[in-house]
Amino acid sequence: MRRIAEDLRRRDGTIAFVPTMGFLHDGHLALMREGRQRASVLVVSIFVNPSQFGPNEDFERYPRALQKDLEKIERIPADYVFAPDTRAMLPADTETWVEVTGVTRGLCGAHRPGHFRGVTTIVAKLFNLVQPHIAIFGEKDFQQLRAIQKMVHDLNFAVEIIPHPIVREPDGLAMSSRNAYLSPKQRNEALALSQSLFAARELSAAGTRDPDAIVQAARRVLDRSADIKLEYLEAVDWETLAKPSAHRSMLLAVAARVGDTRLIDNIALHNPA
Ligand code: AMP
């Protein structure tokens, strides 16, 4: 991969890169289309990264469908698909890890110890291998996006990070490979996540900027569903993910379990001023 990337760069190609864990849906494909438009070469990676899963998480049963994924990528089309095997990417003798501190402390970082360290280490390796000029990341994983932006800034990676808006199902559910775990009944329950965020957005648009009031409005919607186990529901500063202020743009972020499936979603509440 590295040799190909160096060749491409020598030939004046602009390389766009979309890293994924596969089991592709329209959210992933939207990122790829954006990369396709912005660069002459599009590289997609598929790698289910064991180092970002906790010991009791779903690494083993994470859905995989390489052949179907390749067919979907073919229709974009991408120029290269990089799908390394686990040991090649993460040899047993690995002793070096990339850890972003501040922005990874709260939200998912507080509930998934080591998760972001696994993400940033693998993304750093992928950047070194693929040598992209730009890389596209979804706002669905907003804290991940901020962690990668911080890593790129702090470690002087020569790659521009392009955020892509969340792609939702027509009824509002944020697309996710993990939605495949949901039974029809659970999928219906899961709608409460996006609905709670939309309720908060309405309140914010009507002029309520108090973070506590916004969180309460969202919580009222989530409380209606007995089958949702809330992990966190928090308003944070949209840029720093630290304590929010009514005068600045906020991010309202939620993580919850529906059955055994952990889902996340978020919405930006921009300061209209
Ligand atoms: P994953 O395969 O879940 O690791 O996701 C790969 C990339 O796709 C990440 O940048 C995600 O943020 C992005 N992504 C996943 N789901 C969505 C979605 N519904 N909308 C936009 N981006 C997404």
Side-chain angles (χ1 to χ4, degrees), residues 18-31 45 47 52 62 136-142 144-145 148 164-169 173-179:
V18 177
T20 81
M21 298 206 300
F23 210 74
L24 302 175
H25 51 66
D26 284 351
H28 295 117
L29 300 182
L31 269 57
S45 69
F47 180 65
Q52 72 181 68
Y62 193 85
I136 300 107
F137 285 85
E139 292 178 349
K140 161 89 187 336
D141 302 276
F142 200 89
Q144 167 175 285
L145 167 68
I148 284 158
H164 190 93
I166 299 179
V167 178
R168 298 180 178 280
E169 302 285 356
L173 182 70
M175 290 189 185
S176 163
S177 304
R178 289 193 172 96
N179 291 350

Side-chain angles (χ1 to χ4, degrees), residues 4-5 7 56 82 88 102 122 140 143 147 154 163 169 177 181 202 222 225-226 249 260 264 272:
I4 290 169
D7 271 358
N56 298 315
F82 180 50
I122 290 301
K140 161 89 187 336
Q143 191 176 17
D154 289 352
E169 302 285 356
S177 304
Y181 295 142
E202 263 181 48
L222 287 164
S225 300
S249 292
D260 291 334
I264 57 171

Side-chain angles (χ1 to χ4, degrees), residues 32 44 141:
M32 292 177 204
V44 173
D141 302 276

Side-chain angles (χ1 to χ4, degrees), residues 76-97:
I76 298 295
D79 299 282
Y80 294 91
V81 179
F82 180 50
D85 73 47
T86 309
R87 278 293 148 232
M89 202 57 191
L90 211 63
D93 64 353
T94 297
E95 295 181 344
T96 307
W97 299 92

Side-chain angles (χ1 to χ4, degrees), residues 10 20 34 43 75 106 109 170 188-189 213 240 273:
R10 255 196 302 279
T20 81
E34 170 134 26
V43 180
R75 291 201 287 271
N188 203 43
E189 296 281 335
T240 63

